[in-house]
Amino acid sequence: MLLHPDRCFSPEPARRGIARQLYSQVKCLSLVCPHGHVDPALFSDPDYRFGSPTELLLIPDHYVFRMLYSQGVALEAQGIPRRDGGPTESDHRKIWQVFCEHFSLFAGTPSGQWLTQELVEVFGVTEKPSAVSAMRLYDEIAAKLETSAFRPRALFEQFNIEALCTTDAASDLLGHHRRIRDSGWKGKILPTFRPDAVVNLEALSWRGNITALESASGIEITSYAVFLEVLRNRRAFFKSLGATATDHAAVTADTTPLRESEASVIFERALQGKSAPGDAPRFMAHMLFTLAGMSAEDGLTMQLHIGSYRNHNRSVFEKFGADKGADIPVAGEFTRNLLPLLSAFGSDPRLSLVLFTLDESLYSREMAPLAGHYPALRLGPPWWFFDSRLGMRRFLDSVVETAGIWNLAGFNDDTRAFCSIPARHDVWRRVVSDWLAGLMVEHLIDEEEAVSMAEALCYSLAKTAYRL
Protein backbone atom coordinates (compact mmCIF):
# COMPACT_ATOMS: atom_id res chain seq x y z
CA MET A 1 0.00 0.00 0.00
CA LEU A 2 1.67 3.18 -1.24
CA LEU A 3 0.82 6.88 -1.20
CA HIS A 4 1.45 8.53 -4.55
CA PRO A 5 3.36 11.82 -4.10
CA ASP A 6 1.14 13.55 -6.68
CA ARG A 7 -2.22 12.58 -5.22
CA CYS A 8 -4.82 15.35 -5.58
CA PHE A 9 -2.68 17.11 -8.20
CA SER A 10 -3.70 17.72 -11.82
CA PRO A 11 -2.43 15.29 -14.45
CA GLU A 12 -1.61 18.32 -16.64
CA PRO A 13 2.22 18.66 -16.42
CA ALA A 14 2.55 22.44 -16.06
CA ARG A 15 -0.13 22.69 -13.40
CA ARG A 16 1.18 19.62 -11.57
CA GLY A 17 4.69 21.05 -11.45
CA ILE A 18 3.48 24.31 -9.91
CA ALA A 19 1.26 22.41 -7.44
CA ARG A 20 4.30 20.44 -6.27
CA GLN A 21 6.22 23.65 -5.65
CA LEU A 22 3.38 25.32 -3.76
CA TYR A 23 2.74 22.20 -1.70
CA SER A 24 6.40 22.10 -0.70
CA GLN A 25 5.90 25.56 0.84
CA VAL A 26 2.96 24.55 3.04
CA LYS A 27 3.19 20.82 3.76
CA CYS A 28 5.29 21.29 6.91
CA LEU A 29 3.39 24.24 8.40
CA SER A 30 2.08 23.69 11.92
CA LEU A 31 -1.46 22.35 12.11
CA VAL A 32 -4.05 24.76 13.49
CA CYS A 33 -7.16 22.79 14.51
CA PRO A 34 -9.75 25.37 15.64
CA HIS A 35 -12.81 23.11 15.51
CA GLY A 36 -13.16 19.41 16.20
CA HIS A 37 -14.44 16.75 18.54
CA VAL A 38 -11.34 15.07 19.94
CA ASP A 39 -11.87 14.10 23.59
CA PRO A 40 -9.64 16.22 25.88
CA ALA A 41 -9.31 13.17 28.15
CA LEU A 42 -6.69 11.90 25.70
CA PHE A 43 -4.30 14.60 26.88
CA SER A 44 -5.10 15.07 30.57
CA ASP A 45 -3.30 11.85 31.53
CA PRO A 46 0.28 11.77 30.17
CA ASP A 47 0.16 7.97 30.08
CA TYR A 48 -3.25 7.70 28.36
CA ARG A 49 -3.50 4.62 26.12
CA PHE A 50 -5.78 4.37 23.11
CA GLY A 51 -6.72 0.76 23.68
CA SER A 52 -7.09 -1.63 20.76
CA PRO A 53 -6.92 -0.68 17.05
CA THR A 54 -10.68 -1.20 16.94
CA GLU A 55 -11.27 1.18 19.87
CA LEU A 56 -9.08 3.82 18.26
CA LEU A 57 -9.92 3.61 14.57
CA LEU A 58 -13.36 2.04 14.16
CA ILE A 59 -15.89 2.22 17.00
CA PRO A 60 -15.78 6.04 17.47
CA ASP A 61 -15.73 6.90 13.75
CA HIS A 62 -19.17 7.32 12.19
CA TYR A 63 -17.55 7.78 8.76
CA VAL A 64 -16.42 4.16 9.05
CA PHE A 65 -19.40 2.40 10.56
CA ARG A 66 -22.04 4.24 8.49
CA MET A 67 -20.45 2.89 5.29
CA LEU A 68 -20.48 -0.69 6.56
CA TYR A 69 -24.04 -0.24 7.85
CA SER A 70 -25.12 0.94 4.38
CA GLN A 71 -23.92 -2.40 3.04
CA GLY A 72 -25.83 -4.45 5.58
CA VAL A 73 -23.26 -4.84 8.37
CA ALA A 74 -25.26 -4.37 11.58
CA LEU A 75 -24.01 -1.78 14.06
CA GLU A 76 -24.05 -4.51 16.72
CA ALA A 77 -21.51 -6.46 14.65
CA GLN A 78 -19.30 -3.37 14.62
CA GLY A 79 -19.29 -3.07 18.41
CA ILE A 80 -21.34 0.14 18.55
CA PRO A 81 -22.72 0.43 22.13
CA ARG A 82 -26.50 0.26 22.55
CA ARG A 83 -28.40 2.74 24.68
CA ASP A 84 -30.05 -0.06 26.65
CA GLY A 85 -26.76 -1.82 27.30
CA GLY A 86 -27.84 -4.76 25.14
CA PRO A 87 -25.37 -7.15 23.51
CA THR A 88 -23.01 -6.04 20.76
CA GLU A 89 -19.85 -7.65 19.45
CA SER A 90 -17.10 -7.31 22.07
CA ASP A 91 -14.31 -9.20 20.31
CA HIS A 92 -12.26 -6.39 18.81
CA ARG A 93 -10.42 -8.77 16.51
CA LYS A 94 -13.71 -9.90 14.96
CA ILE A 95 -14.77 -6.28 14.44
CA TRP A 96 -11.42 -5.47 12.82
CA GLN A 97 -11.73 -8.53 10.57
CA VAL A 98 -15.15 -7.34 9.36
CA PHE A 99 -13.74 -3.87 8.66
CA CYS A 100 -10.79 -5.23 6.67
CA GLU A 101 -13.06 -7.55 4.68
CA HIS A 102 -15.05 -4.46 3.65
CA PHE A 103 -12.15 -2.04 3.18
CA SER A 104 -12.81 -1.90 -0.57
CA LEU A 105 -16.04 -0.01 0.18
CA PHE A 106 -13.95 3.06 0.95
CA ALA A 107 -12.16 3.20 -2.41
CA GLY A 108 -12.52 6.65 -3.95
CA THR A 109 -14.02 8.18 -0.80
CA PRO A 110 -12.43 10.78 1.48
CA SER A 111 -12.67 8.26 4.33
CA GLY A 112 -10.63 5.83 2.27
CA GLN A 113 -8.05 8.51 1.56
CA TRP A 114 -7.76 9.47 5.24
CA LEU A 115 -7.65 5.87 6.45
CA THR A 116 -4.98 4.89 3.95
CA GLN A 117 -2.76 7.86 4.77
CA GLU A 118 -3.29 7.32 8.48
CA LEU A 119 -2.34 3.65 8.26
CA VAL A 120 0.73 4.34 6.13
CA GLU A 121 2.12 7.51 7.70
CA VAL A 122 1.11 7.14 11.34
CA PHE A 123 1.32 3.37 11.79
CA GLY A 124 3.79 2.42 9.06
CA VAL A 125 1.42 -0.11 7.47
CA THR A 126 2.45 -1.24 4.00
CA GLU A 127 -0.14 -3.96 3.38
CA LYS A 128 -3.68 -3.09 2.25
CA PRO A 129 -6.43 -4.17 4.68
CA SER A 130 -8.17 -7.32 3.47
CA ALA A 131 -9.64 -10.54 4.78
CA VAL A 132 -6.18 -12.13 4.55
CA SER A 133 -4.12 -9.31 6.07
CA ALA A 134 -6.55 -8.31 8.83
CA MET A 135 -4.95 -10.07 11.80
CA ARG A 136 -1.40 -9.19 10.78
CA LEU A 137 -2.36 -5.53 10.60
CA TYR A 138 -4.24 -5.72 13.89
CA ASP A 139 -1.20 -7.14 15.68
CA GLU A 140 1.15 -4.65 14.02
CA ILE A 141 -0.94 -1.65 15.05
CA ALA A 142 -1.71 -3.04 18.52
CA ALA A 143 1.99 -3.49 19.24
CA LYS A 144 2.70 0.12 18.33
CA LEU A 145 -0.15 1.39 20.49
CA GLU A 146 1.58 -0.19 23.49
CA THR A 147 4.66 2.00 23.03
CA SER A 148 5.27 5.46 24.50
CA ALA A 149 5.63 6.94 20.99
CA PHE A 150 1.91 6.29 20.45
CA ARG A 151 0.61 8.09 23.53
CA PRO A 152 -1.67 11.01 22.55
CA ARG A 153 0.70 13.70 23.80
CA ALA A 154 3.60 12.19 21.86
CA LEU A 155 1.51 12.01 18.67
CA PHE A 156 0.27 15.58 19.21
CA GLU A 157 3.87 16.73 19.09
CA GLN A 158 4.76 14.40 16.21
CA PHE A 159 1.81 15.75 14.20
CA ASN A 160 3.15 19.30 14.72
CA ILE A 161 -0.16 20.58 16.07
CA GLU A 162 0.06 24.20 17.20
CA ALA A 163 -3.41 24.36 18.72
CA LEU A 164 -6.33 21.94 19.00
CA CYS A 165 -9.79 23.07 20.09
CA THR A 166 -12.32 20.62 21.51
CA THR A 167 -16.11 20.99 21.57
CA ASP A 168 -17.65 21.05 25.04
CA ALA A 169 -21.16 21.34 26.45
CA ALA A 170 -22.11 24.53 28.27
CA SER A 171 -22.40 22.49 31.49
CA ASP A 172 -18.96 20.86 31.13
CA LEU A 173 -16.73 21.48 34.16
CA LEU A 174 -13.68 21.24 31.87
CA GLY A 175 -11.84 19.05 34.33
CA HIS A 176 -9.64 17.54 31.62
CA HIS A 177 -8.71 20.99 30.35
CA ARG A 178 -7.79 22.09 33.86
CA ARG A 179 -5.61 19.02 34.36
CA ILE A 180 -3.87 19.66 31.03
CA ARG A 181 -3.18 23.26 32.02
CA ASP A 182 -1.97 22.33 35.50
CA SER A 183 0.27 19.51 34.24
CA GLY A 184 2.79 21.90 32.74
CA TRP A 185 2.65 20.17 29.36
CA LYS A 186 3.09 22.69 26.56
CA GLY A 187 0.47 21.28 24.18
CA LYS A 188 -2.24 23.85 23.42
CA ILE A 189 -5.63 22.17 23.94
CA LEU A 190 -8.48 24.68 24.21
CA PRO A 191 -12.19 24.25 24.96
CA THR A 192 -15.03 25.53 22.78
CA PHE A 193 -18.37 26.59 24.27
CA ARG A 194 -21.31 24.70 22.70
CA PRO A 195 -24.71 25.51 24.26
CA ASP A 196 -26.95 23.62 21.80
CA ALA A 197 -28.20 21.20 24.45
CA VAL A 198 -29.71 24.05 26.48
CA VAL A 199 -30.80 26.56 23.81
CA ASN A 200 -32.56 23.99 21.62
CA LEU A 201 -35.80 23.25 23.45
CA GLU A 202 -36.16 20.04 21.40
CA ALA A 203 -32.76 18.69 22.45
CA LEU A 204 -32.71 15.23 23.97
CA SER A 205 -33.27 15.52 27.76
CA TRP A 206 -33.48 19.32 27.57
CA ARG A 207 -34.74 19.67 31.16
CA GLY A 208 -31.94 17.41 32.37
CA ASN A 209 -29.45 19.54 30.45
CA ILE A 210 -30.75 22.61 32.27
CA THR A 211 -30.27 20.79 35.58
CA ALA A 212 -26.69 20.00 34.59
CA LEU A 213 -26.16 23.67 33.72
CA GLU A 214 -27.49 24.65 37.14
CA SER A 215 -25.11 22.21 38.80
CA ALA A 216 -22.12 23.50 36.85
CA SER A 217 -22.92 27.15 37.54
CA GLY A 218 -24.21 26.81 41.09
CA ILE A 219 -27.22 28.92 40.10
CA GLU A 220 -30.83 27.74 40.01
CA ILE A 221 -32.35 28.67 36.65
CA THR A 222 -35.81 29.94 37.48
CA SER A 223 -36.32 32.39 34.61
CA TYR A 224 -35.11 33.43 31.20
CA ALA A 225 -33.14 36.34 32.71
CA VAL A 226 -31.30 33.96 35.02
CA PHE A 227 -30.67 31.61 32.08
CA LEU A 228 -28.90 34.42 30.18
CA GLU A 229 -26.88 35.29 33.27
CA VAL A 230 -25.73 31.68 33.59
CA LEU A 231 -24.75 31.49 29.92
CA ARG A 232 -22.63 34.61 30.28
CA ASN A 233 -20.99 33.21 33.40
CA ARG A 234 -20.21 29.92 31.68
CA ARG A 235 -18.75 31.70 28.66
CA ALA A 236 -16.46 33.64 30.98
CA PHE A 237 -15.41 30.36 32.65
CA PHE A 238 -14.58 28.82 29.26
CA LYS A 239 -12.56 31.92 28.35
CA SER A 240 -10.60 31.60 31.58
CA LEU A 241 -9.41 28.20 30.37
CA GLY A 242 -8.38 29.50 26.97
CA ALA A 243 -11.55 29.21 24.85
CA THR A 244 -11.60 31.50 21.83
CA ALA A 245 -14.81 30.29 20.18
CA THR A 246 -18.37 29.08 20.56
CA ASP A 247 -20.17 26.59 18.35
CA HIS A 248 -23.83 26.39 17.39
CA ALA A 249 -25.70 23.87 15.24
CA ALA A 250 -29.17 24.52 13.85
CA VAL A 251 -31.31 23.16 11.06
CA THR A 252 -31.81 26.69 9.70
CA ALA A 253 -29.96 29.99 10.05
CA ASP A 254 -33.05 31.88 11.24
CA THR A 255 -31.94 34.67 13.61
CA THR A 256 -35.24 36.49 14.11
CA PRO A 257 -35.21 37.98 17.63
CA LEU A 258 -38.20 37.90 19.97
CA ARG A 259 -39.31 40.54 22.40
CA GLU A 260 -37.69 39.79 25.75
CA SER A 261 -41.11 39.23 27.29
CA GLU A 262 -41.99 36.68 24.60
CA ALA A 263 -38.67 34.84 24.97
CA SER A 264 -39.26 34.73 28.71
CA VAL A 265 -42.72 33.21 28.33
CA ILE A 266 -41.45 30.53 25.92
CA PHE A 267 -38.52 29.63 28.18
CA GLU A 268 -40.66 29.43 31.31
CA ARG A 269 -43.20 27.25 29.48
CA ALA A 270 -40.34 24.90 28.64
CA LEU A 271 -39.20 24.82 32.27
CA GLN A 272 -42.68 23.67 33.21
CA GLY A 273 -42.72 21.02 30.46
CA LYS A 274 -45.50 22.84 28.63
CA SER A 275 -43.84 24.00 25.38
CA ALA A 276 -46.26 24.94 22.60
CA PRO A 277 -45.88 23.92 18.94
CA GLY A 278 -43.42 26.29 17.25
CA ASP A 279 -41.73 27.36 20.47
CA ALA A 280 -38.46 25.55 19.81
CA PRO A 281 -37.53 27.00 16.38
CA ARG A 282 -38.58 30.52 17.39
CA PHE A 283 -36.56 30.32 20.60
CA MET A 284 -33.54 28.90 18.75
CA ALA A 285 -33.63 31.76 16.23
CA HIS A 286 -33.86 34.27 19.07
CA MET A 287 -30.98 32.65 20.93
CA LEU A 288 -28.71 32.69 17.87
CA PHE A 289 -29.30 36.44 17.67
CA THR A 290 -28.71 36.82 21.41
CA LEU A 291 -25.58 34.67 21.40
CA ALA A 292 -24.14 36.74 18.54
CA GLY A 293 -24.55 39.76 20.81
CA MET A 294 -22.71 37.91 23.58
CA SER A 295 -19.86 37.10 21.16
CA ALA A 296 -19.63 40.77 20.24
CA GLU A 297 -19.35 41.53 23.95
CA ASP A 298 -16.83 38.89 25.03
CA GLY A 299 -14.88 38.35 21.79
CA LEU A 300 -15.50 34.62 21.39
CA THR A 301 -15.64 33.72 17.70
CA MET A 302 -19.11 32.38 16.86
CA GLN A 303 -19.41 29.32 14.62
CA LEU A 304 -22.77 28.50 13.03
CA HIS A 305 -23.32 25.10 11.39
CA ILE A 306 -26.63 24.72 9.56
CA GLY A 307 -28.37 22.23 7.33
CA SER A 308 -28.22 18.85 9.07
CA TYR A 309 -31.34 16.80 9.67
CA ARG A 310 -30.15 14.98 12.76
CA ASN A 311 -30.85 11.32 13.51
CA HIS A 312 -32.78 10.67 10.31
CA ASN A 313 -32.86 6.91 11.01
CA ARG A 314 -35.17 6.81 14.03
CA SER A 315 -34.69 3.12 14.77
CA VAL A 316 -30.91 3.58 14.92
CA PHE A 317 -31.34 6.63 17.14
CA GLU A 318 -33.67 4.80 19.50
CA LYS A 319 -31.34 1.83 19.80
CA PHE A 320 -27.88 3.48 19.61
CA GLY A 321 -28.39 7.20 20.26
CA ALA A 322 -27.17 10.29 18.41
CA ASP A 323 -24.17 10.68 16.10
CA LYS A 324 -24.48 7.27 14.49
CA GLY A 325 -24.01 8.28 10.88
CA ALA A 326 -27.65 9.10 10.15
CA ASP A 327 -27.45 12.90 9.93
CA ILE A 328 -28.51 13.97 6.42
CA PRO A 329 -28.13 17.36 4.64
CA VAL A 330 -31.14 19.57 3.96
CA ALA A 331 -31.53 22.74 1.88
CA GLY A 332 -30.63 25.99 3.63
CA GLU A 333 -30.95 29.77 3.33
CA PHE A 334 -28.78 32.57 4.71
CA THR A 335 -29.72 35.84 3.00
CA ARG A 336 -33.05 36.39 4.73
CA ASN A 337 -32.42 34.26 7.78
CA LEU A 338 -29.24 36.09 8.80
CA LEU A 339 -30.62 39.55 8.05
CA PRO A 340 -31.65 40.34 11.67
CA LEU A 341 -28.28 39.25 13.05
CA LEU A 342 -26.26 41.02 10.36
CA SER A 343 -28.34 44.20 10.65
CA ALA A 344 -27.37 44.34 14.30
CA PHE A 345 -23.81 42.96 14.30
CA GLY A 346 -22.61 42.42 10.72
CA SER A 347 -20.46 45.55 10.72
CA ASP A 348 -19.41 45.26 14.35
CA PRO A 349 -15.60 44.86 14.48
CA ARG A 350 -15.94 42.91 17.73
CA LEU A 351 -17.77 39.99 16.11
CA SER A 352 -16.22 37.13 14.12
CA LEU A 353 -18.93 34.82 12.74
CA VAL A 354 -17.87 31.71 10.82
CA LEU A 355 -20.56 30.07 8.66
CA PHE A 356 -20.80 26.41 7.65
CA THR A 357 -23.44 24.72 5.52
CA LEU A 358 -24.34 21.31 4.14
CA ASP A 359 -26.07 22.94 1.16
CA GLU A 360 -23.43 23.58 -1.51
CA SER A 361 -25.89 25.62 -3.58
CA LEU A 362 -25.50 28.40 -1.01
CA TYR A 363 -21.79 28.91 -1.66
CA SER A 364 -21.91 31.26 -4.64
CA ARG A 365 -25.54 32.35 -4.36
CA GLU A 366 -25.53 33.58 -0.76
CA MET A 367 -22.47 32.85 1.36
CA ALA A 368 -19.78 34.44 -0.82
CA PRO A 369 -21.77 37.65 -1.48
CA LEU A 370 -22.56 38.00 2.23
CA ALA A 371 -18.97 37.38 3.33
CA GLY A 372 -17.74 39.66 0.57
CA HIS A 373 -19.64 42.52 2.19
CA TYR A 374 -20.09 42.12 5.96
CA PRO A 375 -16.87 42.60 7.96
CA ALA A 376 -18.02 40.21 10.71
CA LEU A 377 -18.46 37.20 8.39
CA ARG A 378 -15.99 34.48 7.49
CA LEU A 379 -16.75 31.30 5.55
CA GLY A 380 -15.81 28.00 7.13
CA PRO A 381 -14.36 25.30 4.88
CA PRO A 382 -16.40 22.52 3.27
CA TRP A 383 -18.01 20.63 6.10
CA TRP A 384 -18.74 16.97 6.74
CA PHE A 385 -19.96 15.32 3.53
CA PHE A 386 -18.00 17.86 1.47
CA ASP A 387 -14.70 17.59 3.35
CA SER A 388 -13.18 15.93 0.28
CA ARG A 389 -10.88 16.82 -2.57
CA LEU A 390 -13.79 17.53 -4.94
CA GLY A 391 -15.83 19.28 -2.24
CA MET A 392 -12.87 21.56 -1.53
CA ARG A 393 -12.44 22.38 -5.21
CA ARG A 394 -16.14 23.14 -5.63
CA PHE A 395 -15.99 25.40 -2.58
CA LEU A 396 -12.96 27.37 -3.77
CA ASP A 397 -14.39 27.66 -7.29
CA SER A 398 -17.68 28.93 -5.88
CA VAL A 399 -16.64 31.46 -3.25
CA VAL A 400 -13.25 33.00 -4.04
CA GLU A 401 -14.37 34.95 -7.12
CA THR A 402 -16.84 36.90 -4.96
CA ALA A 403 -15.36 36.82 -1.45
CA GLY A 404 -11.64 36.44 -2.16
CA ILE A 405 -9.63 34.22 0.18
CA TRP A 406 -9.29 36.75 2.97
CA ASN A 407 -12.93 36.34 3.95
CA LEU A 408 -12.44 32.60 4.48
CA ALA A 409 -11.60 30.89 7.76
CA GLY A 410 -8.94 28.54 6.43
CA PHE A 411 -9.32 24.87 7.30
CA ASN A 412 -10.49 22.83 10.26
CA ASP A 413 -10.58 19.04 10.45
CA ASP A 414 -13.84 18.71 12.45
CA THR A 415 -12.99 15.20 13.58
CA ARG A 416 -13.29 12.83 16.52
CA ALA A 417 -10.59 10.63 14.99
CA PHE A 418 -7.42 12.15 16.41
CA CYS A 419 -5.00 10.12 14.29
CA SER A 420 -6.68 11.26 11.06
CA ILE A 421 -5.91 14.95 11.67
CA PRO A 422 -2.64 15.09 9.67
CA ALA A 423 -4.25 13.32 6.71
CA ARG A 424 -7.21 15.68 6.64
CA HIS A 425 -5.01 18.77 6.69
CA ASP A 426 -2.77 17.24 4.05
CA VAL A 427 -5.69 16.75 1.66
CA TRP A 428 -6.64 20.41 2.07
CA ARG A 429 -3.05 21.55 1.51
CA ARG A 430 -2.74 19.45 -1.63
CA VAL A 431 -6.06 20.64 -3.06
CA VAL A 432 -5.25 24.28 -2.25
CA SER A 433 -1.84 23.95 -3.93
CA ASP A 434 -3.36 22.40 -7.04
CA TRP A 435 -6.20 24.93 -7.18
CA LEU A 436 -3.80 27.87 -6.93
CA ALA A 437 -1.59 26.24 -9.56
CA GLY A 438 -4.62 26.32 -11.85
CA LEU A 439 -4.88 30.09 -11.38
CA MET A 440 -1.18 30.45 -12.12
CA VAL A 441 -1.23 28.47 -15.38
CA GLU A 442 -4.14 30.66 -16.50
CA HIS A 443 -2.00 33.71 -15.58
CA LEU A 444 -4.56 35.03 -13.10
CA ILE A 445 -2.13 35.25 -10.17
CA ASP A 446 1.64 35.32 -9.98
CA GLU A 447 3.96 33.13 -7.92
CA GLU A 448 4.30 35.60 -5.06
CA GLU A 449 0.52 35.84 -4.72
CA ALA A 450 0.11 32.06 -4.93
CA VAL A 451 2.64 31.41 -2.14
CA SER A 452 1.00 34.02 0.08
CA MET A 453 -2.49 32.64 -0.59
CA ALA A 454 -1.39 29.06 0.07
CA GLU A 455 0.11 29.98 3.44
CA ALA A 456 -3.01 31.90 4.41
CA LEU A 457 -5.44 29.15 3.40
CA CYS A 458 -3.41 26.46 5.14
CA TYR A 459 -2.41 28.31 8.30
CA SER A 460 -2.91 31.98 9.08
CA LEU A 461 -6.56 32.48 8.11
CA ALA A 462 -7.68 29.95 10.75
CA LYS A 463 -5.54 31.66 13.40
CA THR A 464 -7.07 35.02 12.53
CA ALA A 465 -10.70 33.89 12.30
CA TYR A 466 -10.51 32.04 15.64
CA ARG A 467 -8.32 34.62 17.36
CA LEU A 468 -5.63 32.07 18.10
Side-chain angles (χ1 to χ4, degrees):
M1 188 161 63
L2 299 174
L3 296 173
H4 197 285
D6 288 335
R7 59 193 184 276
C8 299
F9 295 163
S10 170
E12 194 278 311
R15 177 168 171 170
R16 184 174 65 242
I18 295 171
R20 288 170 179 163
Q21 294 174 13
L22 291 174
Y23 175 67
S24 72
Q25 301 286 313
V26 297
K27 68 177 181 179
C28 294
L29 291 174
S30 300
L31 305 186
V32 177
C33 310
H35 172 80
H37 303 277
V38 173
D39 188 343
L42 272 62
F43 309 101
S44 64
D45 177 359
D47 197 42
Y48 184 97
R49 295 167 186 254
F50 285 116
S52 75
T54 299
E55 287 175 291
L56 172 62
L57 300 173
L58 307 185
I59 293 175
D61 194 339
H62 62 79
Y63 286 94
V64 172
F65 61 71
R66 78 187 303 271
M67 177 63 83
L68 272 64
Y69 178 81
S70 76
Q71 288 290 302
V73 181
L75 294 181
E76 289 92 341
Q78 300 185 61
I80 308 304
R82 286 172 40 163
R83 293 172 69 179
D84 63 2
T88 63
E89 182 58 67
S90 59
D91 186 331
H92 288 187
R93 287 179 173 272
K94 285 185 178 180
I95 298 168
W96 182 265
Q97 180 72 39
V98 169
F99 162 71
C100 289
E101 289 172 358
H102 291 82
F103 188 72
S104 61
L105 295 177
F106 297 97
T109 70
S111 297
Q113 189 171 2
W114 301 329
L115 285 164
T116 299
Q117 187 162 344
E118 187 177 354
L119 290 171
V120 172
E121 294 192 338
V122 178
F123 294 101
V125 169
T126 58
E127 192 174 6
K128 184 178 291 188
S130 68
V132 174
S133 66
M135 289 303 99
R136 287 195 295 272
L137 298 184
Y138 187 95
D139 290 337
E140 182 180 347
I141 295 170
K144 289 178 178 175
L145 291 176
E146 289 298 313
T147 67
S148 59
F150 283 80
R151 302 289 181 268
R153 289 188 180 187
L155 288 176
F156 182 96
E157 293 165 2
Q158 176 187 317
F159 294 165
N160 192 26
I161 297 175
E162 183 173 319
L164 185 149
C165 299
T166 62
T167 301
D168 312 274
S171 58
D172 200 308
L173 297 177
L174 302 182
H176 293 300
H177 285 278
R178 285 182 285 168
R179 283 190 284 277
I180 293 167
R181 182 192 61 179
D182 295 343
S183 72
W185 180 54
K186 301 303 181 183
K188 193 172 185 178
I189 312 290
L190 306 176
T192 298
F193 181 79
R194 185 163 185 165
D196 294 351
V198 293
V199 301
N200 179 3
L201 303 183
E202 294 179 324
L204 186 67
S205 304
W206 179 80
R207 192 60 185 83
N209 299 334
I210 292 294
T211 300
L213 187 62
E214 291 174 325
S215 177
S217 64
I219 299 173
E220 184 181 5
I221 298 173
T222 56
S223 68
Y224 172 68
V226 174
F227 176 60
L228 295 185
E229 175 192 350
V230 169
L231 289 180
R232 288 190 172 91
N233 289 345
R234 297 300 295 164
R235 292 170 68 104
F237 172 66
F238 271 63
K239 279 193 70 174
S240 74
L241 285 170
T244 68
T246 69
D247 186 33
H248 313 271
V251 177
T252 78
D254 188 6
T255 57
T256 305
L258 302 170
R259 295 188 303 274
E260 291 296 297
S261 59
E262 191 174 6
S264 180
V265 168
I266 289 175
F267 183 79
E268 287 165 26
R269 268 203 302 260
L271 283 180
Q272 297 165 16
K274 299 178 180 178
S275 290
D279 277 0
R282 294 174 65 222
F283 189 74
M284 173 62 84
H286 170 77
M287 287 306 302
L288 289 176
F289 180 93
T290 302
L291 290 161
M294 291 186 188
S295 278
E297 293 168 4
D298 62 23
L300 291 176
T301 292
M302 181 179 184
Q303 301 173 91
L304 177 57
H305 293 77
I306 74 151
S308 179
Y309 187 113
R310 306 278 175 169
N311 308 308
H312 191 275
N313 188 327
R314 297 307 297 177
S315 64
V316 165
F317 173 71
E318 289 164 6
K319 184 180 282 190
F320 296 96
D323 301 320
K324 295 302 179 287
D327 298 343
I328 308 297
V330 295
E333 198 275 347
F334 279 117
T335 302
R336 295 177 180 82
N337 278 331
L338 281 184
L339 182 59
L341 186 156
L342 293 175
S343 296
F345 307 110
S347 299
D348 192 326
R350 300 174 301 165
L351 179 64
S352 177
L353 172 60
V354 182
L355 300 180
F356 298 82
T357 184
L358 288 180
D359 182 354
E360 290 186 298
S361 70
L362 300 182
Y363 288 164
S364 59
R365 187 178 71 242
E366 300 184 27
M367 294 175 72
L370 287 168
H373 174 76
Y374 285 99
L377 282 187
R378 296 292 179 267
L379 303 185
W383 171 43
W384 205 336
F385 295 96
F386 309 118
D387 182 8
S388 65
R389 80 187 205 291
L390 294 180
M392 293 166 183
R393 289 172 182 167
R394 290 193 296 268
F395 173 79
L396 293 168
D397 282 341
S398 297
V399 303
V400 173
E401 285 187 342
T402 303
I405 72 158
W406 308 104
N407 289 313
L408 309 185
F411 181 70
N412 63 62
D413 46 77
D414 189 25
T415 185
R416 291 175 174 80
F418 174 58
C419 291
S420 73
I421 286 176
R424 291 172 187 243
H425 282 262
D426 188 61
V427 172
W428 172 259
R429 292 174 179 194
R430 288 174 176 277
V431 171
V432 162
S433 298
D434 183 70
W435 186 80
L436 292 170
L439 297 185
M440 283 188 65
V441 297
E442 293 186 38
H443 309 293
L444 297 173
I445 60 173
D446 61 29
E447 181 178 359
E448 181 181 1
E449 290 171 322
V451 170
S452 174
M453 293 166 76
E455 186 278 340
L457 286 163
C458 297
Y459 179 73
S460 60
L461 284 174
K463 290 189 69 171
T464 300
Y466 288 88
R467 296 166 174 169
L468 292 167

